[in-house]
Amino acid sequence: MPSVAIVIYSRNGHVAKMAEAEKAGIEEAGGQATIYQVPETLPEEILAKTGAVKMDYPIIKANDLTKHDGILMGIPAYYGGFPAELKAFWDSTGSLFVQGSLWHKHGGAFIVNGSLGSGQEAAFYSIMSTYTHHGIIFVPLGYKHAFSQLTNLQEVHGGSPWGAGSLTSIDGSRQPSALELEVATIQGRTFYRAMIGAKDE
């Protein structure tokens, strides 16, 4: 059965909640997904001071990507780009790049950041550059299956046609909303269907 690697860095748990919603969407569509976390780069004493939440997902190695048909990246946007932990992971994929091991796999992303206008789209540009170098086909969320959710102006929310998203507030106190989780589930479902070449719903 085709499968998706959901690769995340989630220091405070927001990205992990979105990843679980993405996984639920993939499973609704009949697929399989594994959520991986990238290796941590900060020392334990620093993590403790920041109130980091310990995740119980397997730590991904570069070669794990070759076991899956698609890749969904869960990215906390730092200054409009990747955190160092995700950058370090992609920097470890050099041998896969040279061998073309990820060529024409499908890729997408979902982004978590602190506030409106603080880097969600810029972070999508960053992952698209990485995907392009590997020959990974970027699959956007688009509007077709999430139009009412993405255009909802009754509440503050993340997400765009690039992919699902959540806003945490600068202090991280806001958790993903029901609307944001719904969009993530829609993305998981539609990403998987696009990956396997299913006819549009």
Side-chain angles (χ1 to χ4, degrees):
M1 180 184 295
S3 65
V4 179
I6 303 176
V7 183
I8 68 171
Y9 179 65
S10 187
R11 188 177 298 166
N12 298 99
H14 302 88
V15 178
K17 289 180 180 178
M18 294 289 285
E20 292 288 353
E22 297 269 356
K23 182 180 179 183
I26 292 166
E27 291 172 347
E28 284 178 13
Q32 292 182 336
T34 302
I35 301 175
Y36 297 96
Q37 58 182 324
V38 297
E40 182 57 76
T41 62
L42 292 175
E44 288 294 333
E45 58 269 25
I46 300 297
L47 292 172
K49 289 179 181 178
T50 63
V53 177
K54 195 164 184 66
M55 298 289 122
D56 195 28
Y57 299 113
I59 304 294
I60 193 167
K61 296 181 174 63
N63 283 336
D64 289 328
L65 295 178
T66 66
K67 303 172 186 175
H68 298 276
D69 305 279
I71 305 162
L72 277 171
M73 296 295 298
I75 303 170
Y78 289 8
Y79 307 109
F82 290 177
E85 291 77 8
L86 283 172
K87 180 67 166 60
F89 169 71
W90 279 106
D91 285 350
S92 75
T93 64
S95 62
L96 302 181
F97 166 70
V98 171
Q99 297 165 21
S101 301
L102 305 182
W103 176 259
H104 278 196
K105 291 184 183 292
H106 290 69
F110 52 100
I111 309 292
V112 171
N113 63 314
S115 64
L116 288 170
S118 61
Q120 285 203 1
E121 289 197 0
F124 280 111
Y125 300 154
S126 296
I127 190 60
M128 284 183 65
S129 175
T130 301
Y131 281 168
T132 297
H133 281 77
H134 278 282
I136 296 168
I137 300 167
F138 180 71
V139 180
L141 169 62
Y143 277 109
K144 179 171 183 179
H145 299 286
F147 186 84
S148 63
Q149 294 86 351
L150 292 176
T151 58
N152 182 339
L153 297 181
Q154 303 306 307
E155 62 177 277
V156 173
H157 62 86
S160 72
W162 296 91
S166 179
L167 305 174
T168 67
S169 82
I170 296 302
D171 63 3
S173 60
R174 184 181 183 275
Q175 296 299 314
S177 68
L179 176 64
E180 291 168 336
L181 294 171
E182 181 185 6
V183 172
T185 301
I186 292 170
Q187 181 177 14
R189 183 173 65 248
T190 57
F191 175 85
Y192 181 79
R193 288 179 60 81
M195 185 185 79
I196 64 173
K199 288 185 178 179
D200 197 17
E201 299 169 325

